[in-house]
Amino acid sequence: MNYPAATLALGPFCFLQGHHLRRVTPVLPEPPGPREGRKGSGPTMRLLILGDSAAAGVGATRQEEGFAGQLVSCLAAQFTISWKLLAKTGATTGDTLDSLENTGAEPFDVVVVSLGVNDLTSGHQRWLWLKRQAKLIDLLNTKFEARLILLSGLPPMHLFPALPQPLRWYMGLGASHFNAGLHKMVNQLTNCRVLSVEVSRQLDGLAL
């Protein structure tokens, strides 16, 4: 069964499951710590990290242990990283667009984007999400002079233990549907890449 057909068949029930899950699932805080800085030695790389709770480091005790901190530490072994993190729990692609449109122009060599899960769980259709992703890419190219844009694909949500069935299966199907569209769109662009998200099948290492 494809995602549009599954939406017609299971959409209302999965909506109720998702609504209940949002009410009972605790919201973890974003970790404290710097959201911009300079680190390392070597050629300068200007790095922008955008996105949702994954980019914001939710689950870590401090920013240095989160995604941005770990990425900066790895790159700082070879580059002087001038970095900035613009991420917020629950952010959709539309939210991030609004934020960037109100942010001052600044050139970046590399932009890493983690967006899509909240678009999917909010019920946004793929065509709308892809339209906003294309607008985001255009904004990063024109206003922020991005040389390379790395887009994170949606994770395999069918493996997330916090999601009950059939919602887990349905979200996994939706994530695959979104990722297929993103890959097709990015294949036509020269300075964009999609990074596939792989997670361990050890369920104690997963979170939502």
Side-chain angles (χ1 to χ4, degrees), residues 52-118:
D52 48 26
S53 58
V58 169
T61 58
R62 53 197 179 99
Q63 281 295 340
E64 292 83 353
E65 298 173 352
F67 174 74
Q70 293 294 309
L71 178 59
V72 169
S73 291
C74 288
L75 293 174
Q78 294 182 315
F79 300 92
T80 297
I81 306 298
S82 176
W83 63 279
K84 180 177 290 186
L85 170 65
L86 298 175
K88 185 177 181 179
T89 298
T92 64
T93 304
D95 295 330
T96 302
L97 274 170
D98 291 341
S99 177
L100 288 178
E101 286 169 349
N102 292 303
T103 300
E106 182 180 354
F108 289 96
D109 298 303
V110 180
V111 181
V112 180
V113 181
S114 171
L115 289 167
V117 169
N118 294 309

Side-chain angles (χ1 to χ4, degrees), residues 23-158:
R23 287 195 300 107
V24 301
T25 302
V27 178
L28 298 176
E30 296 178 6
R35 293 197 170 215
E36 59 181 297
R38 190 175 180 89
K39 183 175 182 179
S41 60
T44 297
M45 177 188 293
R46 299 162 300 181
L47 172 67
L48 175 63
I49 301 169
L50 299 174
D52 48 26
S53 58
V58 169
T61 58
R62 53 197 179 99
Q63 281 295 340
E64 292 83 353
E65 298 173 352
F67 174 74
Q70 293 294 309
L71 178 59
V72 169
S73 291
C74 288
L75 293 174
Q78 294 182 315
F79 300 92
T80 297
I81 306 298
S82 176
W83 63 279
K84 180 177 290 186
L85 170 65
L86 298 175
K88 185 177 181 179
T89 298
T92 64
T93 304
D95 295 330
T96 302
L97 274 170
D98 291 341
S99 177
L100 288 178
E101 286 169 349
N102 292 303
T103 300
E106 182 180 354
F108 289 96
D109 298 303
V110 180
V111 181
V112 180
V113 181
S114 171
L115 289 167
V117 169
N118 294 309
D119 296 81
L120 177 63
T121 59
S122 296
H124 297 170
Q125 295 186 39
R126 186 177 74 168
W127 69 266
L128 177 60
W129 179 63
L130 292 176
K131 181 179 179 180
R132 289 173 174 167
Q133 286 278 316
K135 186 176 180 180
L136 175 63
I137 291 168
D138 182 65
L139 185 64
L140 292 173
N141 282 327
T142 56
K143 184 176 180 178
F144 298 95
E145 303 175 35
R147 298 178 62 187
L148 176 63
I149 301 171
L150 301 175
L151 305 172
S152 173
L154 276 69
M157 298 181 70
H158 64 284

